[in-house]
Amino acid sequence: MGVGPRALLYRLGCLWRRREVDVWYDAAYRLPLSGLEFAGVDPRRADFAAWWLRESKAVAPSWWRTPRRVSYADLGRAHTPELLESLARPDTLAGVFGVDPTDVPVDEVMRSVRLATGATVEGARETLRRRVPALNLLGGFHHAGPGSAGGFCPVNDIAVAVAVVRSDGFAGKVAVLDLDAHPPDGVAACLAADPDRWIGSLSGSDWGNVPGVDETLLPEGAGDLAYMDALKALLGRMPRSELVFVIAGGDVLAGDKLGRLGLSLTGVRWRNVTVAAHLEGVASVWLPGGGYGPNSWKALAGAGLALSTGWAQPIPDDYDPLAVRFAGIARGLPSDLLSDTGELTEADLAEALGVRRPRQRLLLGFYSATGVEEALQRFGVLAQLSRLGYSQFRVEFDRAGPGERIRLFGEADGREHLLIETILERRRTNGHPVLYVHWLSLRNPRAQFSARRPRLPGQDVPGLGLAREIGEILGLMALRLGLAGVVYRPAHFHTAFPGRHHFAFVDPARQGRFEALVRDLPEGLSLVEATRLLDEGRVFLNGEPYAWEPDEMAFWLREPPEEPGEVAHERDLSHFTVSSSAAPEPAQAGGKAADR
């Protein structure tokens, strides 16, 4: 729940040598699309990179820049009126980002897009004026053409920035160095009429000839050495330019779901350092482009490190950006703010007069409803829910079965909706006092299920995309209560898989089988598909039909119980296969859903 020794040493190293870089970031860079993470895209990439660059001290406080939304007049310098008008429709943005139209709060999505584009424009102006490199933590929308959008690119921020600085009177050569895993088709189309531009690209996707682009197509799984050789050759062909846009794509990393170039984090770090050194003293704007894997934020943060320190050292493995961020917020939440202050409230008077029925005053004997609401505000949960279209939040406690229930309500479309519900209990697991989560439901009633976002077992409405935040908050609650960990019982594969980095099954043999299952499931299988395979009896363990085993998983906040090799032993003994058809009598998984 904090920062380890390697990260602390890294901070000292970053302080030792820094070069100025303007970093453009806003908390609204996180797209308010609850279905985005469901599609395998982590919307927190910009947040994680920003938090690390701040924590590591690689970027000085005075170097941070706050973006302003680009005007529609400036967007019109690069795009047709028809395209800009279409971006006011949920179905257009849903197609761009691969989500269901009911999941799109148009104004808030366009706020994120316009802020990012505004930062690219202002970054270009500033780097031309001061010759200090600019890093925008959202942008590089290189697939949007003059009249088209797609591929997570609703507009083309690079083309807009070029058009704006040209209108300002800049007449020098512009270069676009596209190091995303996909070709810059939209950039080429938007800049086709610019007489003094060069576009160079390294990609791993064959989209045929892209006119006006010096394109190098690398084979699938090219890896670090082949990539670096091609990069040096491309830099050698790059003409001297007065303004350079660098798309430092994170989708080149091995394991990225949409990129197939197979670079390691080390390779991406050396790519960033090499390009930063080549462009020393040249006005440049760096943009993240694509990046859809769990380490894409490290590629983006690494670009900032390359610009500010010139180093290629790795970001420490023991650094969890969300955990560090939330632990810092928790330290600023005093106990008297979270618990009952003893002051008489309007609700207390209503209960005393019999106007309303008595409510449970404290959750787990400590947290007040007001304290929980304040904590959710500080952690950014309510802000994200507001961007999804909810307001007028209300927290309520009561008893439910074996535990205590907390519910968060919010208003939208003229009525109140249940958004978050969890049932918690203090109990002992393996002799340790823990926070036991009997039930957790994260609900976005404004969204709908569709082919793009099918219903998962146990769901009645789509989720909020806030599972990681709520999981971290539960861990911090357990810490404040002096408990040893958080425990839940996943009823399905899809409720166990997201927690695998922090949680492990209490039974070592069960953990071994789970790790073997994750290892053996076909690569690229979605969470929905994997859960369905298990529920339909199409997964076999050592040749026998396998039914999902609901069992307790724990996130130990103190030293975890020791296990003398049982996990590895069971993992090595377990071999899973998938059949195209179900077993004759598929077993049914039991247990109660722990998360939705």
Side-chain angles (χ1 to χ4, degrees), residues 370-400:
T370 301
V372 168
E373 186 174 336
E374 177 65 24
L376 292 174
Q377 178 65 42
R378 298 273 190 100
F379 287 119
V381 171
L382 298 189
Q384 188 65 11
L385 292 176
S386 295
R387 299 195 71 201
L388 295 178
Y390 299 99
S391 63
Q392 301 298 315
F393 301 106
R394 178 173 66 87
V395 173
E396 181 179 279
F397 301 152
D398 63 11
R399 300 286 306 185

PDB file of all heavy atoms in Angstrom, residues 370-400:
ATOM      1  N   THR A 370     -21.280  10.316   6.487  1.00  0.00           N
ATOM      2  CA  THR A 370     -20.646  11.537   6.002  1.00  0.00           C
ATOM      3  C   THR A 370     -19.163  11.321   5.741  1.00  0.00           C
ATOM      4  O   THR A 370     -18.603  11.811   4.751  1.00  0.00           O
ATOM      5  CB  THR A 370     -20.827  12.674   7.025  1.00  0.00           C
ATOM      6  OG1 THR A 370     -22.225  12.894   7.233  1.00  0.00           O
ATOM      7  CG2 THR A 370     -20.181  13.962   6.546  1.00  0.00           C
ATOM      8  N   GLY A 371     -18.513  10.565   6.632  1.00  0.00           N
ATOM      9  CA  GLY A 371     -17.092  10.273   6.453  1.00  0.00           C
ATOM     10  C   GLY A 371     -16.826   9.461   5.208  1.00  0.00           C
ATOM     11  O   GLY A 371     -15.856   9.709   4.479  1.00  0.00           O
ATOM     12  N   VAL A 372     -17.679   8.463   4.940  1.00  0.00           N
ATOM     13  CA  VAL A 372     -17.509   7.648   3.738  1.00  0.00           C
ATOM     14  C   VAL A 372     -17.698   8.502   2.489  1.00  0.00           C
ATOM     15  O   VAL A 372     -16.934   8.392   1.522  1.00  0.00           O
ATOM     16  CB  VAL A 372     -18.496   6.458   3.748  1.00  0.00           C
ATOM     17  CG1 VAL A 372     -18.529   5.772   2.386  1.00  0.00           C
ATOM     18  CG2 VAL A 372     -18.123   5.456   4.833  1.00  0.00           C
ATOM     19  N   GLU A 373     -18.697   9.376   2.505  1.00  0.00           N
ATOM     20  CA  GLU A 373     -18.928  10.236   1.344  1.00  0.00           C
ATOM     21  C   GLU A 373     -17.750  11.172   1.106  1.00  0.00           C
ATOM     22  O   GLU A 373     -17.315  11.389  -0.034  1.00  0.00           O
ATOM     23  CB  GLU A 373     -20.214  11.035   1.530  1.00  0.00           C
ATOM     24  CG  GLU A 373     -20.601  11.844   0.308  1.00  0.00           C
ATOM     25  CD  GLU A 373     -21.944  12.526   0.451  1.00  0.00           C
ATOM     26  OE1 GLU A 373     -22.771  12.053   1.253  1.00  0.00           O
ATOM     27  OE2 GLU A 373     -22.159  13.540  -0.233  1.00  0.00           O
ATOM     28  N   GLU A 374     -17.194  11.724   2.186  1.00  0.00           N
ATOM     29  CA  GLU A 374     -16.030  12.596   2.061  1.00  0.00           C
ATOM     30  C   GLU A 374     -14.831  11.829   1.501  1.00  0.00           C
ATOM     31  O   GLU A 374     -14.085  12.335   0.655  1.00  0.00           O
ATOM     32  CB  GLU A 374     -15.677  13.195   3.423  1.00  0.00           C
ATOM     33  CG  GLU A 374     -14.431  14.066   3.428  1.00  0.00           C
ATOM     34  CD  GLU A 374     -14.551  15.328   2.588  1.00  0.00           C
ATOM     35  OE1 GLU A 374     -15.693  15.790   2.356  1.00  0.00           O
ATOM     36  OE2 GLU A 374     -13.506  15.855   2.150  1.00  0.00           O
ATOM     37  N   ALA A 375     -14.640  10.593   1.977  1.00  0.00           N
ATOM     38  CA  ALA A 375     -13.526   9.785   1.475  1.00  0.00           C
ATOM     39  C   ALA A 375     -13.688   9.489  -0.009  1.00  0.00           C
ATOM     40  O   ALA A 375     -12.730   9.592  -0.792  1.00  0.00           O
ATOM     41  CB  ALA A 375     -13.435   8.481   2.265  1.00  0.00           C
ATOM     42  N   LEU A 376     -14.896   9.132  -0.428  1.00  0.00           N
ATOM     43  CA  LEU A 376     -15.138   8.857  -1.850  1.00  0.00           C
ATOM     44  C   LEU A 376     -14.884  10.099  -2.704  1.00  0.00           C
ATOM     45  O   LEU A 376     -14.428   9.991  -3.844  1.00  0.00           O
ATOM     46  CB  LEU A 376     -16.556   8.347  -2.052  1.00  0.00           C
ATOM     47  CG  LEU A 376     -16.861   6.955  -1.471  1.00  0.00           C
ATOM     48  CD1 LEU A 376     -18.341   6.623  -1.604  1.00  0.00           C
ATOM     49  CD2 LEU A 376     -16.012   5.883  -2.151  1.00  0.00           C
ATOM     50  N   GLN A 377     -15.169  11.267  -2.143  1.00  0.00           N
ATOM     51  CA  GLN A 377     -14.877  12.507  -2.859  1.00  0.00           C
ATOM     52  C   GLN A 377     -13.374  12.708  -2.983  1.00  0.00           C
ATOM     53  O   GLN A 377     -12.860  13.009  -4.061  1.00  0.00           O
ATOM     54  CB  GLN A 377     -15.504  13.692  -2.119  1.00  0.00           C
ATOM     55  CG  GLN A 377     -15.229  15.045  -2.761  1.00  0.00           C
ATOM     56  CD  GLN A 377     -15.872  15.175  -4.128  1.00  0.00           C
ATOM     57  OE1 GLN A 377     -17.020  14.768  -4.329  1.00  0.00           O
ATOM     58  NE2 GLN A 377     -15.150  15.719  -5.085  1.00  0.00           N
ATOM     59  N   ARG A 378     -12.642  12.515  -1.890  1.00  0.00           N
ATOM     60  CA  ARG A 378     -11.190  12.729  -1.899  1.00  0.00           C
ATOM     61  C   ARG A 378     -10.480  11.748  -2.833  1.00  0.00           C
ATOM     62  O   ARG A 378      -9.494  12.106  -3.486  1.00  0.00           O
ATOM     63  CB  ARG A 378     -10.626  12.565  -0.481  1.00  0.00           C
ATOM     64  CG  ARG A 378     -11.157  13.544   0.537  1.00  0.00           C
ATOM     65  CD  ARG A 378     -10.381  14.841   0.590  1.00  0.00           C
ATOM     66  NE  ARG A 378     -10.780  15.659   1.727  1.00  0.00           N
ATOM     67  CZ  ARG A 378     -10.105  15.744   2.869  1.00  0.00           C
ATOM     68  NH1 ARG A 378      -8.976  15.047   3.010  1.00  0.00           N
ATOM     69  NH2 ARG A 378     -10.550  16.491   3.852  1.00  0.00           N
ATOM     70  N   PHE A 379     -10.963  10.525  -2.895  1.00  0.00           N
ATOM     71  CA  PHE A 379     -10.334   9.513  -3.747  1.00  0.00           C
ATOM     72  C   PHE A 379     -10.717   9.669  -5.220  1.00  0.00           C
ATOM     73  O   PHE A 379     -10.224   8.922  -6.065  1.00  0.00           O
ATOM     74  CB  PHE A 379     -10.696   8.106  -3.278  1.00  0.00           C
ATOM     75  CG  PHE A 379     -10.002   7.687  -2.010  1.00  0.00           C
ATOM     76  CD1 PHE A 379     -10.729   7.379  -0.876  1.00  0.00           C
ATOM     77  CD2 PHE A 379      -8.624   7.599  -1.953  1.00  0.00           C
ATOM     78  CE1 PHE A 379     -10.100   6.998   0.293  1.00  0.00           C
ATOM     79  CE2 PHE A 379      -7.979   7.213  -0.783  1.00  0.00           C
ATOM     80  CZ  PHE A 379      -8.724   6.916   0.347  1.00  0.00           C
ATOM     81  N   GLY A 380     -11.588  10.598  -5.537  1.00  0.00           N
ATOM     82  CA  GLY A 380     -11.954  10.855  -6.928  1.00  0.00           C
ATOM     83  C   GLY A 380     -13.081  10.001  -7.453  1.00  0.00           C
ATOM     84  O   GLY A 380     -13.437  10.107  -8.633  1.00  0.00           O
ATOM     85  N   VAL A 381     -13.674   9.159  -6.613  1.00  0.00           N
ATOM     86  CA  VAL A 381     -14.746   8.276  -7.077  1.00  0.00           C
ATOM     87  C   VAL A 381     -15.983   9.084  -7.449  1.00  0.00           C
ATOM     88  O   VAL A 381     -16.594   8.866  -8.503  1.00  0.00           O
ATOM     89  CB  VAL A 381     -15.082   7.221  -6.001  1.00  0.00           C
ATOM     90  CG1 VAL A 381     -16.340   6.438  -6.377  1.00  0.00           C
ATOM     91  CG2 VAL A 381     -13.903   6.267  -5.807  1.00  0.00           C
ATOM     92  N   LEU A 382     -16.368  10.043  -6.611  1.00  0.00           N
ATOM     93  CA  LEU A 382     -17.566  10.828  -6.900  1.00  0.00           C
ATOM     94  C   LEU A 382     -17.365  11.706  -8.133  1.00  0.00           C
ATOM     95  O   LEU A 382     -18.307  11.929  -8.905  1.00  0.00           O
ATOM     96  CB  LEU A 382     -17.948  11.681  -5.696  1.00  0.00           C
ATOM     97  CG  LEU A 382     -18.313  10.923  -4.413  1.00  0.00           C
ATOM     98  CD1 LEU A 382     -18.871  11.880  -3.371  1.00  0.00           C
ATOM     99  CD2 LEU A 382     -19.305   9.794  -4.689  1.00  0.00           C
ATOM    100  N   ALA A 383     -16.139  12.191  -8.323  1.00  0.00           N
ATOM    101  CA  ALA A 383     -15.872  13.003  -9.521  1.00  0.00           C
ATOM    102  C   ALA A 383     -16.054  12.177 -10.788  1.00  0.00           C
ATOM    103  O   ALA A 383     -16.631  12.656 -11.782  1.00  0.00           O
ATOM    104  CB  ALA A 383     -14.458  13.566  -9.464  1.00  0.00           C
ATOM    105  N   GLN A 384     -15.588  10.931 -10.755  1.00  0.00           N
ATOM    106  CA  GLN A 384     -15.752  10.078 -11.933  1.00  0.00           C
ATOM    107  C   GLN A 384     -17.221   9.720 -12.146  1.00  0.00           C
ATOM    108  O   GLN A 384     -17.701   9.691 -13.289  1.00  0.00           O
ATOM    109  CB  GLN A 384     -14.902   8.808 -11.776  1.00  0.00           C
ATOM    110  CG  GLN A 384     -14.842   7.929 -13.017  1.00  0.00           C
ATOM    111  CD  GLN A 384     -14.139   8.588 -14.204  1.00  0.00           C
ATOM    112  OE1 GLN A 384     -13.514   9.636 -14.066  1.00  0.00           O
ATOM    113  NE2 GLN A 384     -14.247   7.973 -15.364  1.00  0.00           N
ATOM    114  N   LEU A 385     -17.956   9.477 -11.061  1.00  0.00           N
ATOM    115  CA  LEU A 385     -19.384   9.196 -11.188  1.00  0.00           C
ATOM    116  C   LEU A 385     -20.131  10.416 -11.731  1.00  0.00           C
ATOM    117  O   LEU A 385     -21.081  10.274 -12.505  1.00  0.00           O
ATOM    118  CB  LEU A 385     -19.954   8.788  -9.825  1.00  0.00           C
ATOM    119  CG  LEU A 385     -19.476   7.441  -9.275  1.00  0.00           C
ATOM    120  CD1 LEU A 385     -20.037   7.214  -7.877  1.00  0.00           C
ATOM    121  CD2 LEU A 385     -19.877   6.293 -10.195  1.00  0.00           C
ATOM    122  N   SER A 386     -19.678  11.608 -11.338  1.00  0.00           N
ATOM    123  CA  SER A 386     -20.299  12.825 -11.879  1.00  0.00           C
ATOM    124  C   SER A 386     -20.106  12.903 -13.384  1.00  0.00           C
ATOM    125  O   SER A 386     -21.020  13.298 -14.127  1.00  0.00           O
ATOM    126  CB  SER A 386     -19.696  14.063 -11.207  1.00  0.00           C
ATOM    127  OG  SER A 386     -20.003  14.090  -9.830  1.00  0.00           O
ATOM    128  N   ARG A 387     -18.923  12.509 -13.852  1.00  0.00           N
ATOM    129  CA  ARG A 387     -18.662  12.552 -15.290  1.00  0.00           C
ATOM    130  C   ARG A 387     -19.490  11.508 -16.036  1.00  0.00           C
ATOM    131  O   ARG A 387     -19.747  11.657 -17.233  1.00  0.00           O
ATOM    132  CB  ARG A 387     -17.174  12.346 -15.571  1.00  0.00           C
ATOM    133  CG  ARG A 387     -16.288  13.410 -14.944  1.00  0.00           C
ATOM    134  CD  ARG A 387     -14.905  13.385 -15.545  1.00  0.00           C
ATOM    135  NE  ARG A 387     -14.925  13.888 -16.902  1.00  0.00           N
ATOM    136  CZ  ARG A 387     -13.998  13.629 -17.810  1.00  0.00           C
ATOM    137  NH1 ARG A 387     -12.975  12.835 -17.503  1.00  0.00           N
ATOM    138  NH2 ARG A 387     -14.066  14.121 -19.029  1.00  0.00           N
ATOM    139  N   LEU A 388     -19.914  10.454 -15.330  1.00  0.00           N
ATOM    140  CA  LEU A 388     -20.786   9.454 -15.945  1.00  0.00           C
ATOM    141  C   LEU A 388     -22.240   9.899 -15.962  1.00  0.00           C
ATOM    142  O   LEU A 388     -23.098   9.195 -16.502  1.00  0.00           O
ATOM    143  CB  LEU A 388     -20.664   8.120 -15.209  1.00  0.00           C
ATOM    144  CG  LEU A 388     -19.306   7.417 -15.276  1.00  0.00           C
ATOM    145  CD1 LEU A 388     -19.334   6.128 -14.465  1.00  0.00           C
ATOM    146  CD2 LEU A 388     -18.892   7.129 -16.712  1.00  0.00           C
ATOM    147  N   GLY A 389     -22.520  11.059 -15.343  1.00  0.00           N
ATOM    148  CA  GLY A 389     -23.874  11.605 -15.416  1.00  0.00           C
ATOM    149  C   GLY A 389     -24.664  11.562 -14.124  1.00  0.00           C
ATOM    150  O   GLY A 389     -25.876  11.829 -14.138  1.00  0.00           O
ATOM    151  N   TYR A 390     -24.027  11.263 -12.982  1.00  0.00           N
ATOM    152  CA  TYR A 390     -24.739  11.157 -11.709  1.00  0.00           C
ATOM    153  C   TYR A 390     -24.420  12.353 -10.815  1.00  0.00           C
ATOM    154  O   TYR A 390     -23.353  12.973 -10.938  1.00  0.00           O
ATOM    155  CB  TYR A 390     -24.366   9.855 -10.999  1.00  0.00           C
ATOM    156  CG  TYR A 390     -24.720   8.618 -11.801  1.00  0.00           C
ATOM    157  CD1 TYR A 390     -23.754   7.945 -12.551  1.00  0.00           C
ATOM    158  CD2 TYR A 390     -26.025   8.141 -11.834  1.00  0.00           C
ATOM    159  CE1 TYR A 390     -24.075   6.828 -13.299  1.00  0.00           C
ATOM    160  CE2 TYR A 390     -26.359   7.022 -12.587  1.00  0.00           C
ATOM    161  CZ  TYR A 390     -25.379   6.371 -13.317  1.00  0.00           C
ATOM    162  OH  TYR A 390     -25.699   5.262 -14.065  1.00  0.00           O
ATOM    163  N   SER A 391     -25.329  12.639  -9.886  1.00  0.00           N
ATOM    164  CA  SER A 391     -25.143  13.759  -8.956  1.00  0.00           C
ATOM    165  C   SER A 391     -25.954  13.488  -7.693  1.00  0.00           C
ATOM    166  O   SER A 391     -26.626  12.451  -7.582  1.00  0.00           O
ATOM    167  CB  SER A 391     -25.593  15.076  -9.602  1.00  0.00           C
ATOM    168  OG  SER A 391     -26.988  15.029  -9.892  1.00  0.00           O
ATOM    169  N   GLN A 392     -25.912  14.436  -6.739  1.00  0.00           N
ATOM    170  CA  GLN A 392     -26.695  14.336  -5.498  1.00  0.00           C
ATOM    171  C   GLN A 392     -26.477  12.971  -4.823  1.00  0.00           C
ATOM    172  O   GLN A 392     -27.411  12.199  -4.610  1.00  0.00           O
ATOM    173  CB  GLN A 392     -28.184  14.561  -5.779  1.00  0.00           C
ATOM    174  CG  GLN A 392     -28.515  15.901  -6.397  1.00  0.00           C
ATOM    175  CD  GLN A 392     -28.131  17.057  -5.460  1.00  0.00           C
ATOM    176  OE1 GLN A 392     -28.402  17.016  -4.270  1.00  0.00           O
ATOM    177  NE2 GLN A 392     -27.489  18.084  -6.022  1.00  0.00           N
ATOM    178  N   PHE A 393     -25.238  12.711  -4.459  1.00  0.00           N
ATOM    179  CA  PHE A 393     -24.890  11.395  -3.913  1.00  0.00           C
ATOM    180  C   PHE A 393     -25.341  11.264  -2.456  1.00  0.00           C
ATOM    181  O   PHE A 393     -25.372  12.245  -1.697  1.00  0.00           O
ATOM    182  CB  PHE A 393     -23.383  11.177  -4.022  1.00  0.00           C
ATOM    183  CG  PHE A 393     -22.883  11.241  -5.447  1.00  0.00           C
ATOM    184  CD1 PHE A 393     -22.162  12.340  -5.906  1.00  0.00           C
ATOM    185  CD2 PHE A 393     -23.172  10.223  -6.344  1.00  0.00           C
ATOM    186  CE1 PHE A 393     -21.722  12.413  -7.210  1.00  0.00           C
ATOM    187  CE2 PHE A 393     -22.751  10.286  -7.658  1.00  0.00           C
ATOM    188  CZ  PHE A 393     -22.032  11.386  -8.096  1.00  0.00           C
ATOM    189  N   ARG A 394     -25.662  10.034  -2.087  1.00  0.00           N
ATOM    190  CA  ARG A 394     -26.127   9.753  -0.731  1.00  0.00           C
ATOM    191  C   ARG A 394     -25.603   8.390  -0.288  1.00  0.00           C
ATOM    192  O   ARG A 394     -25.678   7.413  -1.035  1.00  0.00           O
ATOM    193  CB  ARG A 394     -27.660   9.765  -0.684  1.00  0.00           C
ATOM    194  CG  ARG A 394     -28.254   9.432   0.666  1.00  0.00           C
ATOM    195  CD  ARG A 394     -29.756   9.645   0.641  1.00  0.00           C
ATOM    196  NE  ARG A 394     -30.438   8.716  -0.247  1.00  0.00           N
ATOM    197  CZ  ARG A 394     -30.863   7.490   0.123  1.00  0.00           C
ATOM    198  NH1 ARG A 394     -30.635   7.044   1.352  1.00  0.00           N
ATOM    199  NH2 ARG A 394     -31.493   6.721  -0.743  1.00  0.00           N
ATOM    200  N   VAL A 395     -25.056   8.324   0.933  1.00  0.00           N
ATOM    201  CA  VAL A 395     -24.530   7.079   1.499  1.00  0.00           C
ATOM    202  C   VAL A 395     -25.485   6.582   2.572  1.00  0.00           C
ATOM    203  O   VAL A 395     -25.987   7.374   3.387  1.00  0.00           O
ATOM    204  CB  VAL A 395     -23.125   7.290   2.101  1.00  0.00           C
ATOM    205  CG1 VAL A 395     -22.654   6.044   2.844  1.00  0.00           C
ATOM    206  CG2 VAL A 395     -22.120   7.644   1.002  1.00  0.00           C
ATOM    207  N   GLU A 396     -25.711   5.280   2.588  1.00  0.00           N
ATOM    208  CA  GLU A 396     -26.646   4.683   3.544  1.00  0.00           C
ATOM    209  C   GLU A 396     -26.056   3.393   4.093  1.00  0.00           C
ATOM    210  O   GLU A 396     -25.448   2.615   3.357  1.00  0.00           O
ATOM    211  CB  GLU A 396     -27.980   4.404   2.842  1.00  0.00           C
ATOM    212  CG  GLU A 396     -29.053   3.809   3.705  1.00  0.00           C
ATOM    213  CD  GLU A 396     -30.336   3.591   2.914  1.00  0.00           C
ATOM    214  OE1 GLU A 396     -31.097   4.570   2.743  1.00  0.00           O
ATOM    215  OE2 GLU A 396     -30.560   2.454   2.442  1.00  0.00           O
ATOM    216  N   PHE A 397     -26.226   3.149   5.415  1.00  0.00           N
ATOM    217  CA  PHE A 397     -25.784   1.917   6.070  1.00  0.00           C
ATOM    218  C   PHE A 397     -26.995   1.144   6.573  1.00  0.00           C
ATOM    219  O   PHE A 397     -28.009   1.739   6.960  1.00  0.00           O
ATOM    220  CB  PHE A 397     -24.911   2.210   7.304  1.00  0.00           C
ATOM    221  CG  PHE A 397     -23.657   3.000   7.045  1.00  0.00           C
ATOM    222  CD1 PHE A 397     -23.118   3.804   8.040  1.00  0.00           C
ATOM    223  CD2 PHE A 397     -23.005   2.935   5.824  1.00  0.00           C
ATOM    224  CE1 PHE A 397     -21.963   4.531   7.828  1.00  0.00           C
ATOM    225  CE2 PHE A 397     -21.848   3.658   5.598  1.00  0.00           C
ATOM    226  CZ  PHE A 397     -21.330   4.461   6.603  1.00  0.00           C
ATOM    227  N   ASP A 398     -26.878  -0.196   6.627  1.00  0.00           N
ATOM    228  CA  ASP A 398     -27.830  -1.032   7.359  1.00  0.00           C
ATOM    229  C   ASP A 398     -27.231  -2.415   7.545  1.00  0.00           C
ATOM    230  O   ASP A 398     -26.102  -2.681   7.125  1.00  0.00           O
ATOM    231  CB  ASP A 398     -29.199  -1.086   6.663  1.00  0.00           C
ATOM    232  CG  ASP A 398     -29.150  -1.715   5.273  1.00  0.00           C
ATOM    233  OD1 ASP A 398     -28.108  -2.312   4.908  1.00  0.00           O
ATOM    234  OD2 ASP A 398     -30.142  -1.609   4.534  1.00  0.00           O
ATOM    235  N   ARG A 399     -27.961  -3.298   8.198  1.00  0.00           N
ATOM    236  CA  ARG A 399     -27.523  -4.675   8.386  1.00  0.00           C
ATOM    237  C   ARG A 399     -28.053  -5.520   7.235  1.00  0.00           C
ATOM    238  O   ARG A 399     -29.165  -5.303   6.761  1.00  0.00           O
ATOM    239  CB  ARG A 399     -28.035  -5.255   9.706  1.00  0.00           C
ATOM    240  CG  ARG A 399     -27.595  -4.517  10.954  1.00  0.00           C
ATOM    241  CD  ARG A 399     -26.154  -4.760  11.287  1.00  0.00           C
ATOM    242  NE  ARG A 399     -25.815  -6.170  11.398  1.00  0.00           N
ATOM    243  CZ  ARG A 399     -24.621  -6.620  11.772  1.00  0.00           C
ATOM    244  NH1 ARG A 399     -23.656  -5.749  12.079  1.00  0.00           N
ATOM    245  NH2 ARG A 399     -24.366  -7.908  11.851  1.00  0.00           N
ATOM    246  N   ALA A 400     -27.248  -6.501   6.793  1.00  0.00           N
ATOM    247  CA  ALA A 400     -27.668  -7.387   5.699  1.00  0.00           C
ATOM    248  C   ALA A 400     -27.031  -8.754   5.911  1.00  0.00           C
ATOM    249  O   ALA A 400     -25.826  -8.916   5.696  1.00  0.00           O
ATOM    250  CB  ALA A 400     -27.271  -6.816   4.346  1.00  0.00           C
TER     251      ALA A 400
END
